[in-house]
Amino acid sequence: MDHLPSPQNQYNSIQVPDLGGGDYDAREFHGYDKRCGWDVKRLVAGDVHGAYSAREHEPEGPRQHILSTENLTAKAAQFFQTWLFFGALTEVLGCPIDRSGYSVVLRFEDGSEGSYISTKRLLPDIQKWTSRVKESSHEEQTQSWERTRKCLNDAALILESIKENEPSTTSTASCVLLSDEISLSIAILLFTLNFYAYMAYPEDIYGSGAVVSVFGRSSILRPRMVKAGWCPALLARLNNRFGPPGLYYAYLLGPPLAIKSHSACTPEKCLANFVDEESYRTLHVTETCSCEHLDAPQQRLVDILRAGQIPLVSLADGNDGFSLAVVPYEQDMRYVALSHVWSDGLGNPYQNSLPICQLRSLRERVGNLGGTAATEGSASCLIWMDSLCVPLAPESSRYTAIMAMQKTYEMADAVLVLDAQLTRIVASDTSHEEILMRVFCSSWMTRLWTMQEAAFASRLYFQFADKPIEYSSLSRAVKREREHAPAFFIANRADASLRAIFGTPRFPSQVERFSALWSALRWRSTTKERDVPVCVATLLGSNVRKVLETVDEEKMQAFWSGIEEIPSSILWVGGPRLKTSNFRWAPSSLLDPRTLRAPLSHRCISAYWSTSGLFVQGLPGYRLSNTWIPKLEDGCFCFKAADSGQIYKVFKSGDDVNGTWVDIGLHWIQKPALLLEKEVTGGNLSSGVLVGEYATIGGTIRTTWLALVSVFEEGGYYDRLMGAKSFGTQKLYTKDKHAAAFNIETGELAEARGERIGAEQTWYIS
């Protein structure tokens, strides 16, 4: 795994033993198990004796009877490493791989030595392969990608099956076939090959078949990292963004320096940064300090805000001691806006004040920016900080300050990020990829309000222990990085996370801005749920005042009704939805993991909110008749298209917010219809929504939202994938629906049918 970059003070690296067994035979990846005499299904199930027979080049015949379980298990591990590591490498790169080129002898302090895997050659070998792919014809690229895709898919699935069948309370397996170290190395290899395949092949080829996303085989890391103080939600976020390579690189950074308890955190949510205002304690620079607070007079803040101005804090250290004054912003004033995480101790829920020691530290750090609000040798500096500049009362003044947030951060000369983890790290002589990864792992990257503060910044700085570093300098360094350099993957992926935030308001359309924000919202959190629609409305440039002035229980309705243009792809995201009339189509939370699991595409038609619901046009659909519901909750509803005779299968979405089939009511609603994200053709799958039609006015069909579903053709790929769940199920009808579907002459029930509705049809979904 040494093709990855090394952090400055590298934590304990993981050595991967080379189990030997000779070179891979350089033949096709598929079938290697048979050529080696292994039955993989029996092997991963733990039957090592029954799984092994004679190899092609072992004419003596079966030998398993003379091998102990221990020896056979070791032999199986050799086989899996050779096949899944060296075999996958050979298949994807399209040339024989010399095993000795990926193996080194390591000698340790105790005098022991052994052969271990080294991937220093991996990126140069991938670079040569990438050049060959790009120089080949389109037909050759297509064939090469199909081999690559199938190899990576199968290798990942085999690796996952080994993991699932290891000895546990739910498994009957009796042995561990692959150590965690070897499994991790294979997962990192497969993920790396997939990453560079995406870069090597044209989009029309790579997009023809996605590689399965089961590259999560990094169980060796999670327990170690959680025990060392890492947050489970951060580990999930790392795995989502970087896969096993990034998770391992983060592990090499060492345990978090700013210790917060993550014992209550889950992979979906970090709770360590939630603030309890009743027990909140504003921190001093050191634990032994007990200096007094200086406050920003509340009435002064209120007066400035009522005058339509932005209050700033002037910090000065003169002959008369340290002082704080509140002044209104005037044209050409230069100030620094501070962005911080309240759980780090720089907040104050009781008054607009901070300890003098913290104010001195802030002044010094702002002064170190150079060329901004304070220059070397100046006696004072101007800052804006929520703890000091947003009055706690009255509520109307707080609202005014919040509505001015965008202007406040946009007009700032710079935004300085203060994070307790980052301020403990020395940045000098630290690589740009390590700095970017540390920013990615910071608490600052997980909070909702900090996303807004970065989005509106003209210049963004991160404060480290020894100096501030400007984000633009990091981004420029990433752009200079060669694609096949060790740092490229880590630096590029970490930088992409920041790019998704920094400059978001500059997207040309509200739909594109919303799509970018959607991805950035995942893994974000805030202590107060009511802040979510306020913050996102600010980022979208929609009606913030309307959201602020609405009672908490109705803020999400105010948020959705204040957006001028909504991506129609909002219909296909999961998670809970509002229960209010005309808003049943709308997600009830913008931070729910189930809602944010899928991206919000901007490459879609636009929809518009009205008092009749969401107005949309351009979606294919069907009017349904003779409808029923399956008896089993994981079963499907089927209907035959009247125009083509094709049978389509309809499944409820995978989350738990749709309710039961009875709740959906497809069996009793008089005029149900199905709207689709895209045409269901060629065996593909489409998201859809079931709606109930209640009126047609002016040619527009008015409907009520029923459920989010997935739709595919009978006999297609997804039908086979669903297996037994796609087979026939007992149908439940209401009495009236049963009577309408029953044919007296044949004694049979008529099939459910779908009458095609063209994309020109307009709809209201309430």
Side-chain angles (χ1 to χ4, degrees):
M1 300 181 287
D2 45 353
H3 65 284
L4 295 171
S6 298
Q8 185 178 28
N9 296 306
Q10 182 169 295
Y11 192 59
N12 301 331
S13 62
I14 296 174
Q15 303 301 330
V16 181
D18 180 358
L19 302 180
D23 287 335
Y24 180 72
D25 65 8
R27 293 163 62 183
E28 187 179 357
F29 181 83
H30 306 283
Y32 182 74
D33 50 338
K34 297 294 189 293
R35 298 196 298 272
C36 291
W38 288 103
D39 182 329
V40 172
K41 288 185 178 180
R42 298 181 71 174
L43 184 56
V44 297
D47 182 12
V48 290
H49 284 276
Y52 186 62
S53 59
R55 297 165 58 115
E56 288 182 0
H57 54 275
E58 288 182 349
E60 299 93 334
R63 296 185 175 186
Q64 70 270 32
H65 63 283
I66 61 172
L67 292 173
S68 66
T69 299
E70 182 179 355
N71 289 337
L72 268 176
T73 302
K75 194 176 187 67
Q78 278 186 336
F79 153 71
F80 273 128
Q81 185 181 52
T82 301
W83 189 24
L84 301 182
F85 189 94
F86 293 100
L89 196 56
T90 299
E91 182 83 350
V92 173
L93 299 188
C95 61
I97 298 297
D98 180 7
R99 187 172 191 137
S100 63
Y102 282 81
S103 183
V104 295
V105 175
L106 297 181
R107 295 174 176 82
F108 302 98
E109 292 181 357
D110 62 0
S112 63
E113 64 178 46
S115 294
Y116 291 85
I117 295 294
S118 170
T119 54
K120 285 187 176 180
R121 275 187 48 182
L122 179 61
L123 295 179
D125 284 350
I126 288 177
Q127 185 174 11
K128 295 174 187 175
W129 163 69
T130 300
S131 298
R132 292 198 302 271
V133 168
K134 291 182 176 180
E135 292 170 0
S136 59
S137 67
H138 192 272
E139 182 180 356
E140 289 171 332
Q141 288 175 341
T142 302
Q143 294 172 352
S144 171
W145 166 241
E146 281 304 311
R147 289 194 303 271
T148 297
R149 182 186 65 82
K150 187 165 175 35
C151 171
L152 295 177
N153 271 333
D154 288 356
L157 287 169
I158 292 167
L159 191 61
E160 196 70 8
S161 68
I162 295 172
K163 160 68 176 175
E164 291 173 353
N165 287 279
E166 284 183 350
S168 68
T169 56
T170 58
S171 170
T172 59
S174 59
C175 58
V176 175
L177 295 173
L178 279 182
S179 69
D180 282 331
E181 291 83 357
I182 293 174
S183 296
L184 177 61
S185 70
I186 294 170
I188 288 176
L189 173 72
L190 298 179
F191 196 96
T192 303
L193 291 173
N194 184 53
F195 174 77
Y196 280 102
Y198 169 77
M199 301 183 69
Y201 291 100
E203 185 177 352
D204 64 318
I205 292 177
Y206 182 90
S208 65
V211 174
V212 293
S213 56
V214 290
F215 297 114
R217 185 67 167 102
S218 46
S219 60
I220 184 175
L221 298 177
R222 287 190 180 90
R224 293 185 186 186
M225 295 176 80
V226 169
K227 186 176 181 180
W230 290 80
C231 175
L234 172 56
L235 301 186
R237 186 160 62 94
L238 281 162
N239 203 47
N240 177 266
R241 166 55 63 177
F242 300 92
L247 199 59
Y248 178 61
Y249 182 79
Y251 165 80
L252 293 178
L253 296 178
L257 298 179
I259 301 300
K260 297 178 181 178
S261 174
H262 294 282
S263 58
C265 300
T266 69
E268 295 286 4
K269 182 174 288 188
C270 174
L271 300 175
N273 294 309
F274 279 54
V275 171
D276 180 358
E277 292 188 355
E278 293 185 3
S279 60
Y280 188 87
R281 186 168 64 94
T282 302
L283 298 182
H284 290 257
V285 171
T286 63
E287 292 183 3
T288 57
C289 182
S290 59
C291 65
E292 64 178 346
H293 281 228
L294 292 182
D295 71 296
Q298 185 169 288
Q299 191 57 50
R300 177 67 169 150
L301 296 172
V302 171
D303 291 343
I304 292 173
L305 287 165
R306 284 177 176 170
Q309 296 174 295
I310 297 172
L312 301 176
V313 167
S314 174
L315 301 177
D317 199 358
N319 295 331
D320 297 330
F322 197 88
S323 64
L324 179 156
V326 177
V327 299
Y329 170 79
E330 295 179 3
Q331 189 172 359
D332 297 328
M333 274 187 172
R334 303 178 71 186
Y335 66 94
V336 170
L338 300 173
S339 178
H340 67 107
V341 178
W342 268 54
S343 61
D344 286 345
L346 282 174
N348 192 333
Y350 312 113
Q351 59 182 352
N352 295 110
S353 71
L354 286 176
I356 291 177
C357 62
Q358 291 287 14
L359 295 172
R360 286 184 187 277
S361 175
L362 292 177
R363 182 192 170 281
E364 180 182 353
R365 284 170 169 171
V366 169
N368 287 338
L369 291 181
T372 54
T375 56
E376 191 173 342
S378 63
S380 65
C381 68
L382 291 173
I383 67 168
W384 187 97
M385 187 179 190
D386 56 358
S387 307
L388 299 172
C389 299
V390 178
L392 299 177
E395 194 171 67
S396 58
S397 294
R398 279 184 59 80
Y399 287 173
T400 301
I402 291 171
M403 286 187 288
M405 285 279 199
Q406 177 173 351
K407 184 179 179 182
T408 299
Y409 278 90
E410 284 180 339
M411 292 175 61
D413 207 39
V415 172
L416 177 62
V417 173
L418 301 174
D419 179 273
Q421 177 78 7
L422 299 182
T423 55
R424 287 168 168 79
I425 303 294
V426 175
S428 297
D429 301 322
T430 301
S431 65
H432 60 275
E433 70 270 13
E434 180 177 343
I435 289 173
L436 284 166
M437 179 60 94
R438 289 193 180 278
V439 171
F440 182 89
C441 293
S442 67
S443 295
W444 180 84
M445 278 291 287
T446 69
R447 302 303 282 168
L448 182 64
W449 284 105
T450 57
M451 180 176 76
Q452 173 185 272
E453 292 154 8
F456 293 127
S458 59
R459 298 167 65 189
L460 185 65
Y461 287 83
F462 296 97
Q463 181 66 51
F464 285 82
D466 53 337
K467 64 179 180 179
I469 293 183
E470 188 174 4
Y471 166 61
S472 61
S473 67
L474 298 172
S475 192
R476 287 193 298 270
V478 174
K479 291 176 182 177
R480 293 192 297 267
E481 198 72 66
R482 293 178 297 106
E483 285 186 359
H484 297 89
F488 178 79
F489 172 76
I490 299 296
N492 185 272
R493 298 294 286 174
D495 183 51
S497 295
L498 276 168
R499 286 201 312 270
I501 307 168
F502 187 64
T504 299
R506 301 175 184 86
F507 279 93
S509 72
Q510 196 174 60
V511 168
E512 289 179 273
R513 202 177 313 143
F514 202 178
S515 177
L517 285 175
W518 192 266
S519 299
L521 283 169
R522 191 176 183 188
W523 315 106
R524 297 272 168 175
S525 62
T526 184
T527 301
K528 300 174 182 177
E529 185 67 27
R530 66 173 183 263
D531 289 348
V532 179
V534 176
C535 185
V536 181
T538 304
L539 284 161
L540 287 176
S542 57
N543 196 334
V544 182
R545 179 182 293 275
K546 181 178 181 180
V547 178
L548 277 169
E549 294 178 350
T550 301
V551 296
D552 291 353
E553 296 76 16
E554 298 176 7
K555 284 191 186 298
M556 284 304 298
Q557 290 95 305
F559 167 80
W560 290 112
S561 62
I563 302 177
E564 295 177 1
E565 194 176 359
I566 301 171
S568 60
S569 52
I570 199 70
L571 295 170
W572 324 121
V573 302
R577 284 179 152 78
L578 294 170
K579 305 296 183 184
T580 313
S581 178
N582 299 331
F583 288 98
R584 295 185 185 93
W585 53 271
S588 60
S589 171
L590 295 175
L591 293 185
D592 191 293
R594 295 166 295 180
T595 300
L596 299 170
R597 193 170 290 131
L600 184 70
S601 174
H602 67 273
R603 296 177 179 176
C604 62
I605 57 175
S606 294
Y608 306 88
W609 182 84
S610 80
T611 53
S612 298
L614 189 71
F615 177 84
V616 65
Q617 182 181 22
L619 301 177
Y622 290 91
R623 269 198 178 102
L624 304 175
S625 59
N626 297 332
T627 51
W628 46 270
I629 59 172
K631 183 177 181 180
L632 301 177
E633 287 302 322
D634 59 354
C636 64
F637 162 75
C638 307
F639 72 92
K640 177 184 283 189
D643 56 347
S644 66
Q646 175 66 51
I647 294 177
Y648 294 97
K649 297 189 174 183
V650 181
F651 279 85
K652 289 188 301 179
S653 70
D655 55 40
D656 57 357
V657 298
N658 265 331
T660 66
W661 278 109
V662 171
D663 294 332
I664 294 169
L666 196 60
H667 59 319
W668 63 263
I669 289 177
Q670 293 301 309
K671 293 183 177 181
L674 172 66
L675 299 181
L676 297 169
E677 179 184 12
K678 60 188 177 185
E679 298 285 357
V680 185
T681 57
N684 68 351
L685 174 142
S686 173
S687 294
V689 290
L690 290 170
V691 295
E693 179 182 344
Y694 64 86
T696 300
I697 300 176
T700 299
I701 301 175
R702 300 185 176 221
T703 67
T704 300
W705 171 283
L706 298 178
L708 177 67
V709 295
S710 298
V711 185
F712 50 80
E713 293 180 345
E714 182 180 63
Y717 169 77
Y718 287 97
D719 194 19
R720 297 191 297 272
L721 188 67
M722 293 300 290
K725 293 181 181 180
S726 268
F727 294 162
T729 182
Q730 185 175 343
K731 303 175 183 179
L732 301 181
Y733 292 84
T734 60
K735 184 177 180 180
D736 290 343
K737 287 265 189 175
H738 187 277
F742 186 72
N743 187 314
I744 298 177
E745 294 181 0
T746 63
E748 296 179 351
L749 291 168
E751 291 181 293
R753 291 175 65 81
E755 295 289 340
R756 177 78 176 189
I757 302 176
E760 70 281 358
Q761 178 63 54
T762 54
W763 304 80
Y764 280 118
I765 305 173
S766 67

